[in-house]
Amino acid sequence: MDRLVLRPAAYSDLPAVERIAGASPVGVTSLPRSRDKLFDKIASSQASLAADVSGCGEESYFFVLEREHDREVVGTAAIVASAGFSEPFYNYRNETVTHASRELGVHHRVHVLTLCHDLTGATLLTSFVLDPAYKHGDYPDLLSRARMLFIAAHRQRFADHVVSEMLGLCDDDGHAPFWDSVGRHFFGIDYPLAEFYCGVKGRSFIAELLPQHPIYVPLLPREAQEAIGQIHPFSRLPCEILLREGFETERYVDIFDAGAVVQARTEEIRTVATHARATVVGHPPGADGTRYLVANLDLPGFRAILTDAAFDSERGEVWLAEADLKSLNVTAGGSVVLAPL
């Protein structure tokens, strides 16, 4: 089994990140097909890791999943400390309105979508892309959940809520049923171009063009109605991981393709709630080996792995194999954070 390590992206990773972005489907705006924007993403992450931060703000953290023996990058994932820090973070909120007439004896509850920025300020998980060869076993958990371990280890840098947007339904030609029925009428551009603008220009144009009034769902074509809250096959795996972590859906959807938006209170996320800090010891502390996510506490040198570790929760001690210590760049007497797989 290949040993994979999650670490912060470096400038030398740019060609690999470009390759991964180019292979991603339309709609993954957090990995735009723009070399300059991807470079900026790495630069922002490097600056955030170097910053002395006491609260969540404009910081972002971009990670790559590296195959250790040949340093090949096989995945990406990111965290935005505060979504919409520089501009509102827009979504549609699912709501029900009641239309009634006592005189006619009519009482209807109607599904509407209301443009909002309720989730502005929440920590945002983005950019989960994994080489298909590693979408089996525990590798996807390492790529996704190591971010939660990073949040747990550096809690003051993140908000009290965490959200993530799932890619909605669209075909290989870039046709999205919801966009074609709603957004296209106000923007006059197709779905791929709208998502590209969002990735490279930001979301400020949304408020300028999207209608501020509720959208009555029953007035939409059936295909568009059925797309609301649905998830593209590309996003099913990361969504399943987040749902197991305690994230919930149904309340909000994406403004472009109506894909589900999942959310959770930070302290209730399984990895955050079950994580522990431990001191590395040079001999097994007497506990049975269990599969853990383990990470060091170094911000710019952050490393996370999956391994079998012997952890004594009462003593706060953990024993790791020599290969694990090397991957994490820690030694006996050092500190790590870990959470059961």
Side-chain angles (χ1 to χ4, degrees), residues 70-318:
D70 61 2
R71 306 199 64 182
E72 177 78 9
V73 172
V74 299
T76 63
I79 313 170
V80 176
S82 179
F85 183 81
S86 59
E87 57 189 20
F89 179 65
Y90 287 102
N91 299 104
Y92 279 124
R93 182 175 59 238
N94 280 301
E95 295 182 333
T96 301
V97 297
T98 300
H99 291 262
S101 170
R102 181 177 299 178
E103 183 178 349
L104 297 177
V106 174
H107 187 279
H108 283 305
R109 293 169 60 84
V110 183
H111 181 194
V112 300
L113 297 176
T114 303
L115 187 67
C116 71
H117 47 83
D118 297 354
L119 302 180
T120 295
T123 290
L124 178 66
L125 303 177
T126 73
S127 309
F128 180 101
V129 182
L130 182 60
D131 186 310
Y134 292 94
K135 288 187 175 181
H136 62 278
D138 301 331
Y139 296 127
D141 278 80
L142 172 59
L143 180 58
S144 181
R145 292 178 57 200
R147 294 176 296 182
M148 269 62 89
L149 207 52
F150 184 85
I151 290 171
H154 307 285
R155 184 65 187 83
Q156 77 282 2
R157 291 176 172 256
F158 302 99
D160 292 333
H161 282 81
V162 180
V163 302
S164 188
E165 296 178 304
M166 299 295 112
L167 184 62
L169 298 184
C170 64
D171 62 24
D172 293 339
D173 295 323
H175 296 295
F178 185 81
W179 175 263
D180 290 344
S181 299
V182 179
R184 177 188 287 274
H185 296 293
F186 299 94
F187 289 76
I189 56 178
D190 60 18
Y191 173 69
L193 186 57
E195 290 285 19
F196 176 76
Y197 282 163
C198 185
V200 301
K201 297 180 182 295
R203 295 188 169 213
S204 59
F205 67 94
I206 295 169
E208 300 168 352
L209 296 174
L210 272 180
Q212 301 298 309
H213 299 290
I215 294 173
Y216 280 70
V217 173
L219 299 180
L220 298 177
R222 179 167 297 279
E223 189 179 16
Q225 293 184 43
E226 293 175 348
I228 296 172
Q230 297 302 304
I231 298 171
H232 190 284
F234 176 83
S235 285
R236 286 177 188 162
L237 179 58
C239 186
E240 289 171 0
I241 294 170
L242 295 181
L243 292 179
R244 291 199 303 269
E245 284 285 285
F247 283 69
E248 297 179 349
T249 183
E250 297 181 359
R251 181 63 167 160
Y252 300 94
V253 297
D254 181 75
I255 56 174
F256 292 112
D257 54 31
V261 178
V262 298
Q263 58 174 324
R265 288 188 56 83
T266 306
E267 303 302 332
E268 295 174 359
I269 296 171
R270 184 164 68 95
T271 298
V272 176
T274 62
H275 90 283
R277 296 196 178 209
T279 300
V280 177
V281 294
H283 56 84
D288 293 333
T290 302
R291 196 77 166 153
Y292 283 95
L293 285 160
V294 187
N296 65 21
L297 295 173
D298 185 2
L299 264 173
F302 181 77
R303 299 288 186 276
I305 61 172
L306 278 171
T307 190
D308 295 323
F311 173 51
D312 186 331
S313 59
E314 292 185 1
R315 298 174 63 90
E317 295 178 343
V318 63

Side-chain angles (χ1 to χ4, degrees), residues 8 29 32-33 35 38 41 65 84 118 121 153 175 183 202 209 235 246 260 321:
T29 57
R33 298 177 185 182
R35 184 180 182 87
L38 294 174
K41 189 177 183 76
L65 190 62
D118 297 354
H175 296 295
L209 296 174
S235 285

Side-chain angles (χ1 to χ4, degrees), residues 4-7 9-10 12-35 38 41-42 62-67 71-78 126-135 143 167 234:
L4 302 185
V5 179
L6 184 117
R7 60 168 176 78
S12 58
D13 296 315
L14 184 57
V17 173
E18 278 191 288
R19 169 178 53 80
I20 291 172
S24 303
V26 171
V28 184
T29 57
S30 60
L31 282 179
R33 298 177 185 182
S34 164
R35 184 180 182 87
L38 294 174
K41 189 177 183 76
I42 295 173
F62 185 37
F63 304 98
V64 295
L65 190 62
E66 179 182 82
R67 190 168 58 214
R71 306 199 64 182
E72 177 78 9
V73 172
V74 299
T76 63
T126 73
S127 309
F128 180 101
V129 182
L130 182 60
D131 186 310
Y134 292 94
K135 288 187 175 181
L143 180 58
L167 184 62
F234 176 83

